[in-house]
Every structure is written in structure tokens, then in C-alpha cells.
Amino acid sequence: MMVPTTHALLIWLLFLCGLEETVQSQRGHCTGNQCFALFQEPGDFNEARKSCKDSGWQSLMFSSEHAEKLLKSPLRGSYWLRNSADGSAEKPAAGGQTCRCISASEGQNFTVSWKPCLDTLDGFLCQFTLEDPCSGLQAAGDATVKYTYMPTDLELELDDSETFPPGTIAVAKKFDDKYPYSKHVCFSSSWLIAPWKCEVLGGGCEHRCSSATQSCVCPAGKTLQPNNFACADGPCQSNPCTGEGEECEVTQTGFTCTCKDGFVPEDGECVNVTICEKCEHMLCDKFNGVYKCHCRKGFRVSPHDPTKCEMNCTEIDCPAVCVYRNDSEPQCFCPTGYITTLSPNNSTPFCTDIDECDSGDDECEHQCANAFGSYRCLCDKGFKLDHNNYNCVPVQGPEEEVDGSGSAAPYPSPVSPHPDTVVPSYIRTGSVMGIAVFVALCAVLLYFLIRNMVKRCGKFELSSFKHPDIDIFYLQQVTTETYKRISFDKQFKSDSPTIL
């Protein structure tokens, strides 16, 4: 199987190489009102004569005067020519007849000879008469012009020509430029610059011609070059806009970064607002530059759908949400992990937390701790929770030590079922620092207060005890008679006249 496959692949490669050589060898030359072309299509004289007319040419070439322009080195081989100047008098060749041909050898030596008409030669030469030809295009500056003529499905190079048939495409390009300078088509002895009418060869547009505007348009991601017919990779092709929700938009001066549909510019960034249109409670705020849905009191955002809200209860009992329909019994709803119960008077429906640990509905391997609406698993000393948060695996190595005490934690702390109720570590750290600062300030104030009191006490004097005229009284028990005598003596002294 290997040999035939390799052989077939070799034949296919040779065919492609021959096809490429055929395309490259389609050469033409025009001068005055005559055009000549070389076709490398092997065949006998009759096949060459028919192919020449089928290609839109009038007849085989008769004069070998212009063969030098067509049979350029390193081209070699033999090619059919017309037998007589009057091509119309020519009849199909029969066996035994000979027909004219021209042979090119190495060194560009051309020889006209006669060979059997039924022989297979390398190709043939054709010619036709021009009408309304164009002269050479006057290119601007140092631009060079490449001429191509495509009468049917052929493509002939006419670079060495002096005149050009209608329909010839002339492309002018400067040496250092990446894209052509201009593009023209020969029409009625004049050169029309692209884009011309869309009905004629697609207006000369590289991609597509718009009949509404008679102009060239380019596909998405590409821009129209200044020559107005060629398309090139635009500045957005390398995706310079890398921000969230940004997209590149081509402008006349280059590009600009804009926000995609569903994003709005805020503070120099593109923020997604599409989610706000889907929020169940129609509440939407921006968190850390991203819009997110939030819910009314008593609800929380569903962990399964960021646009939906579900009941949220952080206590053992919460009011149930009930829907009343006429005289039928109300339909009540509770959060996950809660069950509907009635108040003692059987009038108000409540949602009561289900103790999964007590009911045996938990899946914990060691211990279970109930939580509002859920539960969490704990492990015995020397164990920790596995990745499934239910099973316990032995703690190995340094993981047994907690806070450097060398003792194992009796109950490793699993993730809380209510992350929003856990105090972040940075808040705990801030609280400790705040308390420490407060205690330090109180200590400083107490120090200055005691110091001030000590200073004041050092200067304090009991002046009342140092008065020279102070009278000291002593209390003494007396009888009634004594009291009367003392009182009488005091009255007598006060009634005595003052002696001057």
C-alpha cells in the first residue's frame, strides 16, 4: 500500500508544479493594435488552433516577429504557429501534413520549421486585433506598474507591452510600500481609477463593492487603505483593548476602546450592567467595580443564581412567607433547612430551624453542630475534615500543632454555612488594636491625674489648726444645781456696769 500511495502523491505534486508553471508562463505582448500570447498547453496543431479560438483569441500567431517578447529564457520547446497569413483559409490538418512551428533553444535562439501536424508540441502562440487600446499608465513618483489582462479565466502578464487592451488592470506600487499606490482599468482608451462602477470587475475592490455608495468595503476587523480599494488588518486586529468589557473600534485616525453592549463607562472602566436588568428584586449596586444584585430584608442572593433571591433566616424561628388565595388554606414557604410550624394560637405560620444533628439527617462521621438552616461537621482530637466536609481524616505532621502549643485542636473549625455571619480576621485584629490603644490612653490619663493630686497634696496646709486665738472646749458633765449657778453668774456679769 505504501508504494502506490507514494506514487500517487508524486504524480499529484508534479501536476501542481506543472500547473504553477503553466500559470506563470501565460505571457502576452501588445504593440500598436495587435496582441500576442503564449500558451503552454501540450497538443497537436488542431487542438492548438481550437484552444486559441476558445480562449477568445482570433487565431494562431503567424509572424514570428514578436516571439522574442514571449519566448523568454529559460523557456524552451516548440510551439505551433499559423500556416498562412490568411488564417480563415486554414483547414483542419490531416495525417501526413506538416504545420508551422517555432522552437526556442537555450540562449534564446528561435527557429521556425515545419513538423507533422499530429505531433504533440509544448504549446502554441495566438494573436488578436485591439480596439480602443490604452497607452502606458503614467505612474506617480517612483511607483512601478504591473499590467494584467484577464479576457476569460486566463491571466496574462503584459508588462513589456506598449499598448493594452480594454479590461487590462494596472496596479501602481511604490518600492517600499506594503500596499499598492493605485489601481486602474483600461476602458475606451482611458484608465479608470479604482473604485469604478461595481458592475465592472467588482469596482476593482479587493473585498466587496457597495453598489449603494459605489465604494469598496472591508470585512470586520480590517480597514480600507488610503488607495480606496485594498483592505488591511486594522489596528484592532491585535486586540489592543484588554480591559473587562472593552472592544476595539476603528476610527479614521486609528482606533479607540469602547464598551461592549451591556457595559457602561464608569470611572474610566467598562462596568457590566446587564445583570441589573435580571435582578429578581430589582435591586442592583456596584461592588468593587462590578454590579451585583441584592435582595430585600429577609432574603439573600441565591448561591445558584446571582439574579435570584431566596429567603434567609438567621434565627431559630422566622415568619413564614405565605400566599393567601380566597378561602383556601395559605401556601407558606420557608428557607432551606426550616420547616413550617404554627404559633401556640395556631394563627401565625412560622419557619422553625430543623436540627439535623438531633434528627439524624446529618452525614457527619464524628460530630455534628447544628446551624441556622443547616449544620456543620466536627472532628475528634487528632482528626480534620476531609475535602467533602463530612468525613474525618487523621492529622499528620505539623498540622496537629495549633498556635505553637503542641496540642491538637479538639474541633477543627470547618467553613461556616453562613459566611456572612463570620467576623473577618482583619476586623478581629482591628478590635484588638483599638482596645490596646484605649487601655494605653487610660493608663496615661490616670498617671497624670495621680501626679497632679500628689503635687496639690504636698502644698495643702491645715490653717485652722494653726490659729493663735483658737479656743478649745471640753465637755464636762454637771448637776442641775451647778448649771443654775453658772447661769446666774453669767447673767450677773453681763448686767454689771462697764467701768471706764
Side-chain angles (χ1 to χ4, degrees), residues 33 103 124 126 131 170 176 209 211 271 306 336 345 349 364 382 403 419 421 461 481-482:
N33 64 344
S103 299
F124 53 92
C126 298
E131 294 181 2
D176 295 331
C209 184
S211 57
V271 182
T336 303
N345 57 5
C364 300
D403 296 333
T421 62
E461 296 180 356
E481 294 297 331
T482 304

Side-chain angles (χ1 to χ4, degrees), residues 275-276 279-287 291-297 299-302 306-310:
I275 192 174
C276 294
C279 295
E280 183 177 5
H281 286 183
M282 301 304 293
L283 298 175
C284 191
D285 289 321
K286 185 169 66 174
F287 300 94
Y291 277 94
K292 297 181 179 180
C293 299
H294 65 96
C295 304
R296 296 191 297 268
K297 185 178 180 181
F299 294 82
R300 66 179 179 182
V301 177
S302 171
T307 64
K308 301 298 181 182
C309 295
E310 62 180 22

Side-chain angles (χ1 to χ4, degrees), residues 35 45 194 201 268 287 348 382 420 447:
C35 268
F45 180 84
L201 297 176
F287 300 94
T348 305
D420 53 343
Y447 168 78

Side-chain angles (χ1 to χ4, degrees), residues 286-485:
K286 185 169 66 174
F287 300 94
N288 297 327
V290 179
Y291 277 94
K292 297 181 179 180
C293 299
H294 65 96
C295 304
R296 296 191 297 268
K297 185 178 180 181
F299 294 82
R300 66 179 179 182
V301 177
S302 171
H304 308 290
D305 188 344
T307 64
K308 301 298 181 182
C309 295
E310 62 180 22
M311 294 180 62
N312 183 33
C313 184
T314 58
E315 300 177 0
I316 296 179
D317 295 316
C318 294
V321 176
C322 299
V323 177
Y324 295 87
R325 297 178 180 176
N326 300 329
D327 297 333
S328 60
E329 293 184 1
Q331 185 178 5
C332 299
F333 302 93
C334 288
T336 303
Y338 285 78
I339 187 173
T340 306
T341 58
L342 294 176
S343 60
N345 57 5
N346 295 331
S347 61
T348 305
F350 272 86
C351 294
T352 302
D353 174 53
I354 300 174
D355 191 343
E356 292 85 358
C357 300
D358 185 49
S359 62
D361 294 335
D362 66 281
E363 300 181 14
C364 300
E365 183 179 4
H366 284 185
Q367 303 180 36
C368 174
N370 187 51
F372 297 140
S374 62
Y375 66 94
R376 62 176 182 170
C377 296
L378 303 176
C379 295
D380 297 336
K381 183 178 180 179
F383 292 84
K384 66 177 181 178
L385 283 175
D386 198 1
H387 63 276
N388 57 16
N389 291 330
Y390 297 110
N391 299 327
C392 295
V393 295
V395 177
Q396 299 177 357
E399 294 185 8
E400 292 190 18
E401 298 185 2
V402 179
D403 296 333
S405 62
S407 61
Y411 304 109
S413 301
V415 179
S416 171
H418 298 286
D420 53 343
T421 62
V422 178
V423 179
S425 60
Y426 66 87
I427 294 181
R428 296 198 296 268
T429 304
S431 300
V432 173
M433 292 181 63
I435 294 173
V437 172
F438 177 77
V439 172
L441 290 176
C442 291
V444 172
L445 291 176
L446 183 61
Y447 168 78
F448 283 105
L449 179 62
I450 295 175
R451 181 181 179 185
N452 187 44
M453 292 179 63
V454 170
K455 288 183 178 180
R456 293 187 61 183
C457 290
K459 297 180 179 180
F460 182 71
E461 296 180 356
L462 297 176
S463 58
S464 60
F465 290 98
K466 296 181 180 182
H467 198 278
D469 298 329
I470 187 171
D471 293 330
I472 302 177
F473 297 90
Y474 298 93
L475 296 177
Q476 182 178 4
Q477 184 177 6
V478 295
T479 64
T480 304
E481 294 297 331
T482 304
Y483 174 75
K484 290 181 179 180
R485 183 175 55 80

